[in-house]
Amino acid sequence: SQQGEEDPQALSIQEGENATMNCSYKTSINNLQWYRQNSGRGLVHLILIRSNEREKHSGRLRVTLDTSKKSSSLLITASRAADTASYFCATVPRYGNKLVFGAGTILRVKS
Amino acid sequence: DVKVTQSSRYLVKRTGEKVFLECVQDMDHENMFWYRQDPGLGLRLIYFSYDVKMKEKGDIPEGYSVSREKKERFSLILESASTNQTSMYLCASSREGWATYGYTFGSGTRLTVV
């Protein structure tokens, strides 16, 4: 079952622009994580934000979490062609023990 | 560089064959997971293990079994492969503590059952 749902399903931008992806979820969570998947490869963990945190940064990545709206956003600043990939949010429900993934956003950065 | 290694990148098997997908991690992680990934369905958890010889069913365990005889190795077994098991299979591991830390994924095995 999918807990998180990403929006948009696909995003195409020019190199240098910012990319914003959103994730909504249904139940209370312990933490929310973002992953990147290059075509045909495994997923790479990008960042984890806990339920008591509102914002987190890692390099060109900025993640926000709004638990009242049950939503999160991932911002990639100054995008590069190498950022072309699928991006997934994943949540750990508060009373669960498994990471549940959304369907992902496909990001294409044109050079 | 720490990693999760899946034994095959691509695999083609015949219907009815018994298929073994192997996964090895070198991070001394307690937890290991098997997911399958299909277009439009995202990642779905098949089985996971939080200790040697321990296993728990995920969301879609039917048609699969697992084995964890050693901490570093987690095997997924398709008892009798069927065409609807054609998919990308992803193995992952994590430190103890339920999803308190990020998962480390292998590169995936694309299985085709003909």
Side-chain angles (χ1 to χ4, degrees), chain B residues 34-54:
Chain B
W34 275 106
Y35 287 85
R36 65 177 281 177
Q37 183 178 25
D38 301 287
L41 296 176
L43 277 78
R44 294 179 291 168
L45 182 63
I46 305 171
Y47 267 98
F48 64 104
S49 168
Y50 52 87
D51 201 354
V52 175
K53 296 192 185 294
M54 305 301 288

Side-chain angles (χ1 to χ4, degrees), chain B residues 67-92:
Chain B
S67 172
R68 194 168 182 199
E69 296 296 318
K70 294 184 178 180
K71 189 175 185 180
E72 67 271 17
R73 186 180 297 270
F74 192 35
S75 302
L76 179 69
I77 303 155
L78 285 66
E79 297 291 343
S80 177
S82 64
T83 54
N84 63 12
Q85 293 179 309
T86 290
S87 185
M88 169 72 106
Y89 289 88
L90 293 164
C91 175

Side-chain angles (χ1 to χ4, degrees), chain A residues 5-80:
Chain A
E5 292 186 7
E6 289 90 341
D7 170 57
Q9 290 186 328
L11 181 61
S12 183
I13 59 173
Q14 291 292 135
E15 204 165 27
E17 293 181 341
N18 295 342
T20 299
M21 288 159 271
N22 303 297
C23 171
S24 60
Y25 56 91
K26 297 171 185 171
T27 62
S28 296
I29 59 171
N30 277 319
N31 68 64
L32 184 145
Q33 305 177 26
W34 284 91
Y35 289 79
R36 184 189 74 233
Q37 183 180 35
N38 292 94
S39 180
R41 310 294 294 185
L43 280 72
V44 174
H45 179 254
L46 296 176
I47 199 164
L48 181 153
I49 186 165
R50 302 186 194 284
S51 59
N52 60 353
E53 297 175 311
R54 291 297 167 258
E55 188 170 312
K56 209 161 181 181
H57 296 255
S58 177
R60 293 185 295 113
L61 305 180
R62 173 178 168 251
V63 169
T64 61
L65 179 65
D66 187 336
T67 53
S68 66
K69 294 181 179 178
K70 292 187 171 60
S71 68
S72 173
S73 67
L74 170 67
L75 170 67
I76 304 173
T77 59
S79 63
R80 306 166 182 168

